[in-house]
Amino acid sequence: MNTTDLSAFLPDDHHAAMEAAVTPVAAAMRGSMILKIAGEVRALAAKGQAVANFTVGDFRPAQFRVPSELSSGIQRKLKDGHTNYPPADGVPELKAAVARLVRRNWGVEVSADWVCVGSGARPPIYSAWRLFVEPGDRTVSFLPMWNTGYYAHLNGSIHEFVLTKAENDFFPTVEQVREAIRGARLVILNSPLNPTGTMIDPEVLRGIAQALVDENKGRERPCMMIFDQVYWAITAGGRPHSNPCALVPEATPYVVHIDAISKWMCATGLRVGWAILPPYLQVKMKALIGHMGAWAPRPEQLAAAELVDNPEALQAWFVTLNEQVSSRLNALYSGIAALREEGLPVDAIAPQGGIYLSFRVNLIGQGFDTNESIRRWLLDEAGVAVVPFQAFDMPGESGWFRMSIGAVGLDDIHGAVERLGAALRRL
Ligand SMILES: Cc1ncc(COP(=O)(O)O)c(C=O)c1O
């Protein structure tokens, strides 16, 4: 391929000159461990090896389609000419529909001017960090958790990662939160939790929301909370999702809810998400989203609004989606549980919510000394591709891994469990 030879325009060492152009924050950005692993999986599959890909937190369209109402709606809106800029904080139809959804689901009294739409959940999350955090501010999240380390790095905060325990389903205790948020500017909570597939106990969430209210009594700059609930509609056996502001309404001024159609409409590539936050903050977030140009496409917003605002159709869709997710997660969990019953060194936490399973391989100290060595062995010997909890900032060689069911079918799962059992028995 012919590309421009930059050395013609730059001093001798043009790499050094290019590196010097980059800010320290950008230079120190880490690449995604999950994407690196996904690349390895693709390479193995290309060689013809049987691999079940449990790595990506995404839906393979061959396994999970978006609701038909959504795809036909988008085509209709496109045909009707909805191709111009949407308002920076979202079309009024979607903002109103989201506010009604929140009132209907959790009884939290919000209106359309609380809603700020973006291109997926990420821009509202990033904007919330930009709204509240200055370099040197203290921020807090709990381990393991998806992506928080990157946002802390981008915002130059002094970030405290608080370690949780498997016996608490990888959620913090109220006391841990109370202690950690003292003097902090921002705390992040996510339930159902990526990467563990667990859901927070409502009483713990109530305690945490109350701790937030107590912390903010008399403080000049309050501690804010990002409550990321992008998986709320995907729960095992209809288990209800808890919301901090429904449990402790006094927490409402301090909570930014994050949501998106990405997960519960299997629509990660359509890029529609939103934050719900008090109107005086919403206006500031709107400005940030507007200047990033991170608004969601207009046809997608309008079509999503129609489905979000149709409780019967939405409910029917959730039944279908939960059947698809649960059948996969249950097959995976019961397969691993059977291997455990057989005396093989594996374990898992029963699925609660989201598209993930916490999977443990108890081989540390038994010929393996790192999660990475176990991960490679699982991939090479069993064709089982998983992501170690280190990708979610969790330190330590614990033997814990995330398995995602978004890219696999039941046949893949049965094959993977069979190969896993055979590989473990060969050890
Ligand atoms: C907990 C959580 N929040 C937010 C996101 C980002 O969602 P989006 O694709 O809408 O930006 C993800 C994606 O994996 C996630 O797991």
Side-chain angles (χ1 to χ4, degrees):
M1 193 172 54
N2 256 345
T3 64
T4 306
D5 179 7
L6 292 178
S7 58
F9 313 131
L10 288 166
D12 294 347
D13 185 356
H14 67 277
H15 286 294
M18 288 285 88
E19 258 172 50
V22 169
T23 62
V25 167
M29 278 303 283
R30 286 173 292 132
S32 159
M33 189 191 287
I34 304 176
L35 295 184
K36 180 182 152 272
I37 297 172
E40 286 177 21
V41 175
R42 273 195 303 277
L44 270 189
K47 279 199 258 165
Q49 183 167 332
V51 188
N53 189 353
F54 295 108
T55 62
V56 286
D58 193 3
F59 297 94
R60 216 170 101 209
Q63 294 290 342
F64 291 90
R65 305 300 294 206
V66 303
S68 56
E69 295 92 334
L70 184 65
S71 45
S72 60
I74 292 169
Q75 285 166 33
R76 208 169 358 98
K77 300 297 174 188
L78 205 48
K79 206 155 149 250
D80 291 348
H82 290 284
T83 49
N84 54 327
Y85 284 133
D89 58 346
V91 298
E93 292 87 339
L94 181 58
K95 292 173 63 187
V98 166
R100 279 190 283 272
L101 175 82
V102 172
R103 293 202 298 269
R104 216 165 57 223
N105 276 1
W106 302 294
V108 180
E109 286 303 321
V110 300
S111 48
D113 55 351
W114 288 59
V115 179
C116 187
V117 177
S119 53
R122 283 172 175 85
I125 294 174
Y126 178 65
S127 303
W129 278 80
R130 296 294 296 179
L131 273 188
F132 306 127
V133 178
E134 288 185 298
D137 280 344
R138 225 163 62 67
T139 53
V140 177
S141 68
F142 309 96
L143 293 178
M145 192 186 285
W146 170 85
N147 266 16
T148 306
Y150 297 110
Y151 292 110
H153 172 75
L154 278 171
N155 288 280
S157 69
I158 297 169
H159 191 73
E160 185 179 351
F161 286 117
V162 179
L163 213 52
T164 63
K165 294 189 172 146
E167 58 263 37
N168 296 330
D169 291 335
F170 292 109
F171 284 102
T173 63
V174 176
E175 275 323 302
Q176 277 182 306
V177 177
R178 205 173 266 284
E179 178 96 354
I181 64 175
R182 212 163 285 147
R185 285 285 294 140
L186 182 66
V187 56
I188 326 297
L189 211 57
N190 163 224
S191 177
L193 180 60
N194 179 5
T196 61
T198 53
M199 291 175 73
I200 196 163
D201 179 293
E203 284 318 305
V204 174
L205 185 59
R206 186 194 304 277
I208 290 173
Q210 188 57 51
L212 185 69
V213 172
D214 295 345
E215 167 66 19
N216 284 332
K217 279 189 188 130
R219 260 182 66 162
E220 203 178 315
R221 294 176 74 202
C223 178
M224 302 297 292
M225 177 191 277
I226 291 180
F227 186 70
D228 182 336
Q229 54 177 8
V230 297
Y231 298 95
W232 66 266
I234 309 177
T235 71
R239 198 181 160 115
H241 167 76
S242 313
N243 179 289
C245 302
L247 295 166
V248 180
E250 301 90 307
T252 311
Y254 311 117
V255 177
V256 176
H257 291 86
I258 296 291
D259 202 352
I261 66 165
S262 303
K263 308 294 173 168
W264 47 261
M265 287 195 199
C266 307
T268 48
L270 297 184
R271 309 313 299 149
V272 182
W274 53 84
I276 299 149
L277 70 176
Y280 48 89
L281 299 174
Q282 191 273 0
V283 177
K284 308 280 181 218
M285 185 178 280
K286 173 180 179 177
L288 285 168
I289 298 266
H291 290 301
M292 287 191 274
W295 43 73
R298 189 186 269 271
E300 276 79 343
Q301 290 194 49
L302 289 167
E306 286 181 0
L307 189 50
V308 168
D309 227 7
N310 182 341
E312 289 78 34
L314 197 59
Q315 197 45 43
W317 160 251
F318 287 156
V319 170
T320 308
L321 173 62
N322 274 296
E323 273 167 14
Q324 287 181 291
V325 171
S326 292
S327 60
R328 287 166 174 79
L329 281 173
N330 290 340
L332 189 56
Y333 175 69
S334 54
I336 292 167
L339 299 180
R340 181 186 58 199
E341 296 308 308
E342 194 187 319
L344 295 169
V346 286
D347 204 353
I349 299 180
Q352 300 173 10
I355 58 171
Y356 308 108
L357 190 77
S358 291
F359 169 51
R360 190 173 203 184
V361 184
N362 295 310
L363 285 174
I364 295 288
Q366 326 240 350
F368 293 86
D369 51 11
T370 60
N371 285 1
E372 176 58 18
S373 59
I374 296 176
R375 180 190 76 76
R376 275 255 47 126
W377 177 83
L378 287 168
L379 186 59
D380 294 338
E381 296 298 319
V384 170
V386 296
V387 180
F389 272 15
Q390 274 103 339
F392 308 97
D393 293 309
M394 180 113 158
E397 307 305 336
S398 58
W400 281 107
F401 298 89
R402 181 185 84 169
M403 295 180 102
S404 163
I405 52 78
V408 294
L410 287 175
D411 287 351
D412 300 309
I413 292 169
H414 294 309
V417 170
E418 218 163 273
R419 291 193 302 275
L420 176 62
L424 288 166
R425 285 180 214 109
R426 281 199 301 273
L427 272 179

